[in-house]
Amino acid sequence: MNTNEKIHQAFNNKETVEVKNVYKPYKEQKTLLGKGNTNAKTKKNAIETYILYLSPYTENSKNINVCPKASKGCAAACLNTAGRGQMSNVQKSRRNKIEYYLHDKSKFINHLAKEIKKAILKATVKGNDIAFRLNGTSDIDFIYLLKKYADFDALNTPDNVHFYDYTAILGKARKYKDTKYAVTLSRKEDNQSEIDTAIAEGINVAVVFANELPAEYNGAKVLDGDMADDLMLTNKGIVLGLKAKGDAKKDESGFVVK
């Protein structure tokens, strides 16, 4: 008799049956957020930063795309396997986290909220600023989910707390434009018209360049986005210029501006 049959029989007979070894496609984790000093860019930030990494795109058992607007060029240039991401244990951890999120979303979000609150309390006691980037390798509206599942309003946190992300979704960048959640729209080979719209509306955009960064791009000032990851927190209506790295150097899709 399998587990489901035991549960069904117990329900019909009004008996209590201990069910053991219930399969879960992920292992329980103590921590979801990583410290920014493990990332080449976030470790350059002026303030303490925490970042969440999940396996990107459809790299999960449910084949759900957690980067819904990712283009072919974006996928090919993804930084999921850059730096420490090349390590098998790091990839295993990211896969485990996405399975946790997809199979037990409420529990995952409440776990995430608990970690964020703990980090905020610690930083506040020390009198420090703190930042969170919840989409290191994904494009999920965690700000909305934290409010929905954990009743945690990230937009109504103390002044020393900051949230920021990159996104490929113009609607998301617009939604949070005038909030404390700084969202930068990423240019891809298939969204130039949206990038032009974002620039016209004063929304920060990120553009990957093959060579030296220009002083301006489509009328907006270009800052060296590789200098730090949190420039979007203190600069508005600008272009974060990023130099092509890794596989992006071989790009022929138009994702990288030449």
Side-chain angles (χ1 to χ4, degrees):
M1 183 180 297
N2 61 34
T3 298
N4 288 334
E5 289 173 336
K6 288 181 180 180
I7 294 173
H8 183 69
Q9 183 184 65
F11 179 81
N12 290 335
N13 297 335
K14 296 182 180 181
E15 298 174 352
T16 300
V17 175
E18 182 180 0
V19 179
K20 297 181 179 180
N21 300 322
V22 176
Y23 172 73
K24 286 185 178 181
Y26 67 89
K27 292 183 179 180
E28 298 289 343
Q29 291 192 228
K30 289 184 178 180
T31 58
L32 299 175
L33 294 169
K35 289 188 176 182
N37 57 14
T38 62
N39 177 283
K41 278 188 65 181
T42 53
K43 71 179 181 181
K44 300 177 183 177
N45 288 359
I47 58 179
E48 181 181 18
T49 304
Y50 285 83
I51 188 167
L52 174 63
Y53 284 112
L54 307 175
S55 290
Y57 311 118
T58 57
E59 295 181 22
N60 57 76
S61 63
K62 290 192 174 186
N63 199 39
I64 292 175
N65 191 348
V66 296
C67 305
K69 285 287 186 175
S71 64
K72 290 183 179 179
C74 179
C78 181
L79 296 177
N80 179 45
T81 55
R84 294 179 68 254
Q86 300 177 43
M87 301 168 65
S88 60
N89 64 318
V90 173
Q91 286 297 311
K92 183 177 180 180
S93 174
R94 294 178 185 181
R95 179 58 182 259
N96 195 54
K97 289 173 185 175
I98 190 60
E99 296 298 339
Y100 182 6
Y101 168 76
L102 292 175
H103 287 85
D104 204 340
K105 185 179 293 184
S106 179
K107 185 175 181 180
F108 180 96
I109 297 299
N110 276 276
H111 184 167
L112 179 60
K114 184 177 180 180
E115 283 191 32
I116 292 173
K117 291 176 183 177
K118 183 178 179 180
I120 289 175
L121 178 59
K122 186 176 180 180
T124 303
V125 168
K126 292 181 177 181
N128 296 334
D129 276 27
I130 187 169
F132 299 90
R133 181 179 169 188
L134 301 180
N135 284 287
T137 41
S138 56
D139 200 350
I140 298 168
D141 193 345
F142 281 112
I143 302 302
Y144 165 75
L145 295 175
L146 284 165
K147 180 64 175 175
K148 178 180 179 179
Y149 289 100
D151 195 28
F152 175 72
D153 187 359
L155 303 181
N156 189 28
T157 48
D159 292 340
N160 68 313
V161 181
H162 312 273
F163 290 88
Y164 74 97
D165 267 321
Y166 292 89
T167 184
I169 306 170
L170 176 59
K172 183 178 177 182
R174 279 173 163 167
K175 177 181 178 180
Y176 293 109
K177 178 186 174 185
D178 296 318
T179 71
K180 71 179 304 177
Y181 179 34
V183 181
T184 295
L185 183 67
S186 296
R187 181 198 173 277
K188 305 178 279 103
E189 74 274 15
D190 60 359
N191 73 339
Q192 186 62 53
S193 63
E194 291 186 342
I195 290 297
D196 294 339
T197 297
I199 290 175
E201 294 181 5
I203 296 171
N204 287 350
V205 303
V207 181
V208 180
F209 294 95
N211 302 305
E212 293 300 314
L213 303 182
E216 291 188 352
Y217 178 79
N218 286 15
K221 181 180 179 181
V222 176
L223 294 182
D224 186 351
D226 290 320
M227 292 296 293
D229 199 47
D230 59 354
L231 293 177
M232 67 182 78
L233 295 178
T234 52
N235 295 276
K236 304 300 177 185
I238 50 88
V239 173
L240 292 172
L242 307 170
K243 292 183 180 179
K245 306 172 189 64
D247 291 338
K249 293 180 179 179
K250 308 173 186 176
D251 176 72
E252 295 295 337
S253 70
F255 175 78
V256 176
V257 175
K258 298 182 179 180

